[in-house]
Amino acid sequence: MLDGNPRLNLASFVTTWMEPECDRLIMAAVNKNYVDMDEYPVTTELQNRCVNMIAHLFNAPIGEDETAVGVGTVGSSEAIMLAGLAFKRKWQNKRKAEEKPYDKPNIVTGANVQVCWEKFARYFEVELKEVKLKEGYYVMDPAKAVEMVDENTICVAAILGSTLTGEFEDVKLLNDLLTEKNQETGWDTPIHVDAASGGFIAPFLYPELEWDFRLPLVKSINVSGHKYGLVYAGVGWVVWRNKEDLPEELIFHINYLGADQPTFTLNFSKGSSQIIAQYYQFIRLGFEGFRNIMENCTENAKVLKAGIEGTETFDIVSKDVGVPLVAFSLKDSGKYTVFDVSESLRRFGWIVPAYTMPADAEHVAVLRVVIREDFSRSLAERLVTDLKKVLTELENRWTKSTMIAHVKAEETPDGVVLKKSVKHTHEEIARYWKHLVDRKKTSGVC
């Protein structure tokens, strides 16, 4: 009860509302261990069905030679760790076979990647080569990324839905440029698509956009079920193009739970609730249902964007094509900053994050509002109203502070110039703010 209201937490991409029927379904399955396939075979079947549907959604090849494989995870962080390990092990095996050094693997990404990529690089001793950003362009430049690829690059990671601005990176261009470099060098550097945020958006809103397994170099894709997969926190997915892209030595087989069971996860025991909830959402909503929800989120983002632009105080940083969110920066940060705006909005219950961009755009600071399924048009309009109140208060505070702090020279009839001392000025400011605070004090219970 003392925490913030999840519905007003506009910092998070994670789902905060599901239907009451699904809430009950989750509680009914909370005591089932997902990893015990022999004891809970239906849960295992539901996971396999989810993987199959996601693989089809991402246009995985269907044929005798290519069969997509995948697994449920605890969010996209674990999914990325597993995909990265597969790339690293496959690269090492090839280097060993060629009798070449295999101790310095690297991954090429943009500086806008989520922190889980930095975790993977540090935990599993892989160099992270980041393409720096620039003002006005806050995603990875495919041309610069390909320039950074060398014989030790295990993969290039593209982001479908940047955490910073929601923008989709150009995976198609990256695939084309990397194909040319592979042909020139004889390498076979692959692509992984981090579709944590955009994987359940692009297929429904931008079906013509080529970013998935339609591109030959895309070997694996991760997506967060607990973001726009519309399930509570704790579920993600990773899908590989075919079995050959997941080295067999990374898969463990156990039999002490009743039967031979393959497992490829970083953890072991976990609840079955989120897997079952994901299947519920797929069956309950279907393709049309998901598309309707994503279209509604996009429309609400447009309403919010128009309201923010109407204040004439902010520049919109996010793009129209991408994850439904609005990222915006102050046109003038001389009077107050986006951090002041963020802090002031908390008084109305809103959690709107303010942050600076990564290298080399650290001087740009923005606010970001994520539009989820439960963020309605009425909430968008209410947020704009509260934002205008905050801007008025900050403007008045700055004006009064400037008026009080400004020390003017005064000339007496005798021509002597007098100035207030610094101590006298500070005392006046302190008296003013004390008077302001005393006036706002209330008696009785708050």
Side-chain angles (χ1 to χ4, degrees):
M1 293 176 65
L2 299 179
D3 282 335
N5 183 341
R7 195 174 184 188
L8 302 184
N9 178 11
L10 307 182
S12 178
F13 292 82
V14 176
T15 297
T16 54
W17 178 86
M18 296 184 75
E19 292 179 325
E21 293 83 359
C22 196
D23 289 344
R24 292 195 293 270
L25 186 63
I26 288 172
M27 292 308 300
V30 75
N31 61 344
K32 293 182 180 179
N33 190 355
Y34 158 83
V35 79
D36 195 343
M37 301 178 186
D38 190 56
E39 185 69 22
Y40 308 115
V42 174
T43 298
T44 302
E45 175 62 21
L46 296 186
Q47 179 210 233
N48 294 340
R49 291 185 184 183
C50 287
V51 168
N52 189 45
M53 285 186 273
I54 293 170
H56 280 282
L57 190 66
F58 295 167
N59 293 290
I62 301 174
E64 295 181 0
D65 298 331
E66 293 185 298
T67 302
V69 295
V71 66
T73 60
V74 184
S76 276
S77 291
E78 184 187 10
I80 285 169
M81 303 281 179
L82 298 178
L85 283 171
F87 282 120
K88 181 181 178 182
R89 183 57 60 91
K90 191 169 183 180
W91 174 82
Q92 286 178 327
N93 290 344
K94 182 182 178 183
R95 298 285 289 182
K96 290 177 183 179
E98 296 172 347
E99 297 183 348
K100 294 179 180 179
Y102 55 89
D103 59 332
K104 295 182 179 179
N106 68 67
I107 285 182
V108 176
T109 71
N112 57 313
V113 293
Q114 215 261 2
V115 69
C116 60
W117 284 99
E118 298 178 35
K119 289 182 179 180
F120 168 76
R122 191 175 303 177
Y123 293 166
F124 297 104
E125 299 180 325
V126 176
E127 179 189 0
L128 190 66
K129 300 170 71 172
E130 294 184 338
V131 178
K132 304 304 181 185
L133 310 183
K134 62 181 180 181
E135 185 172 354
Y137 194 84
Y138 304 113
V139 292
M140 180 179 70
D141 184 333
K144 292 182 179 178
V146 172
E147 288 177 6
M148 298 176 72
V149 170
D150 58 33
E151 62 179 351
N152 293 321
T153 302
I154 64 176
C155 79
V156 180
I159 312 299
L160 193 79
S162 170
T163 300
L164 304 176
T165 63
E167 189 174 352
F168 294 163
E169 293 182 347
D170 194 340
V171 188
K172 175 69 165 60
L173 178 57
L174 176 63
N175 179 87
D176 295 344
L177 294 176
L178 192 54
T179 297
E180 292 179 9
K181 184 157 189 172
N182 285 344
Q183 290 173 348
E184 293 171 1
T185 60
W187 304 333
D188 57 355
T189 307
I191 296 172
H192 174 85
V193 179
D194 179 358
S197 298
F200 285 125
I201 295 172
F204 304 106
L205 297 185
Y206 315 106
E208 74 288 346
L209 183 67
E210 293 185 45
W211 63 272
D212 50 21
F213 290 122
R214 285 171 287 183
L215 303 176
L217 291 184
V218 174
K219 302 300 181 182
S220 56
I221 302 172
N222 69 275
V223 64
S224 290
H226 60 216
K227 291 182 179 178
Y228 288 95
L230 308 179
V231 178
Y232 293 137
V235 62
W237 304 91
V238 57
V239 180
W240 286 269
R241 186 185 196 90
N242 58 54
K243 294 179 180 179
E244 287 68 35
D245 295 314
L246 176 57
E248 179 64 31
E249 62 264 34
L250 292 178
I251 301 174
F252 292 84
H253 292 265
I254 60 172
N255 61 10
Y256 51 78
L257 292 178
D260 179 67
Q261 301 175 10
T263 175
F264 180 40
T265 57
L266 293 182
N267 64 313
F268 196 62
S269 295
K270 66 177 180 180
S272 299
S273 298
Q274 265 64 23
I275 300 294
I276 296 172
Q278 184 73 85
Y279 185 71
Y280 173 92
Q281 292 290 57
F282 284 169
I283 299 302
R284 170 76 173 86
L285 297 171
F287 191 94
E288 292 296 326
F290 264 87
R291 183 171 63 185
N292 291 340
I293 290 172
M294 301 312 154
E295 287 176 346
N296 188 56
C297 288
T298 301
E299 288 302 314
N300 288 334
K302 291 178 181 178
V303 170
L304 180 61
K305 176 185 173 183
I308 292 172
E309 287 178 323
T311 66
E312 299 182 350
T313 306
F314 300 98
D315 289 320
I316 302 299
V317 176
S318 52
K319 306 296 183 182
D320 290 333
V321 176
V323 177
L325 61 79
V326 183
F328 49 104
S329 61
L330 279 168
K331 292 182 177 180
D332 179 12
S333 297
K335 300 178 181 179
Y336 46 85
T337 68
V338 293
F339 302 98
D340 296 323
V341 176
S342 175
E343 185 65 27
S344 297
L345 282 171
R346 283 180 176 265
R347 293 192 297 105
F348 296 92
W350 302 106
I351 301 175
V352 178
Y355 52 87
T356 56
M357 292 294 188
D360 286 329
E362 298 97 332
H363 60 287
V364 179
V366 302
L367 294 151
R368 186 197 67 208
V369 175
V370 177
I371 310 300
R372 300 188 303 271
E373 180 187 9
D374 58 346
F375 187 84
S376 63
R377 178 167 182 153
S378 60
L379 280 179
E381 292 170 348
R382 175 183 157 191
L383 175 58
V384 171
T385 299
D386 290 343
L387 180 60
K388 290 178 180 178
K389 293 178 183 177
V390 164
L391 294 176
T392 300
E393 291 175 1
L394 290 173
E395 185 73 29
N396 292 339
R397 185 188 307 171
W398 179 84
T399 302
K400 291 177 181 177
S401 298
T402 303
M403 182 174 60
I404 293 172
H406 186 61
V407 181
K408 293 183 178 179
E410 298 179 357
E411 188 173 337
T412 66
D414 299 330
V416 179
V417 177
L418 301 176
K419 289 186 177 181
K420 295 179 181 179
S421 68
V422 174
K423 179 180 178 182
H424 186 208
T425 301
H426 287 174
E427 288 174 349
E428 279 195 6
I429 295 173
R431 282 197 297 273
Y432 170 79
W433 285 111
K434 185 175 185 299
H435 171 71
L436 201 64
V437 171
D438 289 340
R439 193 173 64 186
K440 290 186 176 182
K441 284 183 177 178
T442 59
S443 58
V445 180
C446 293

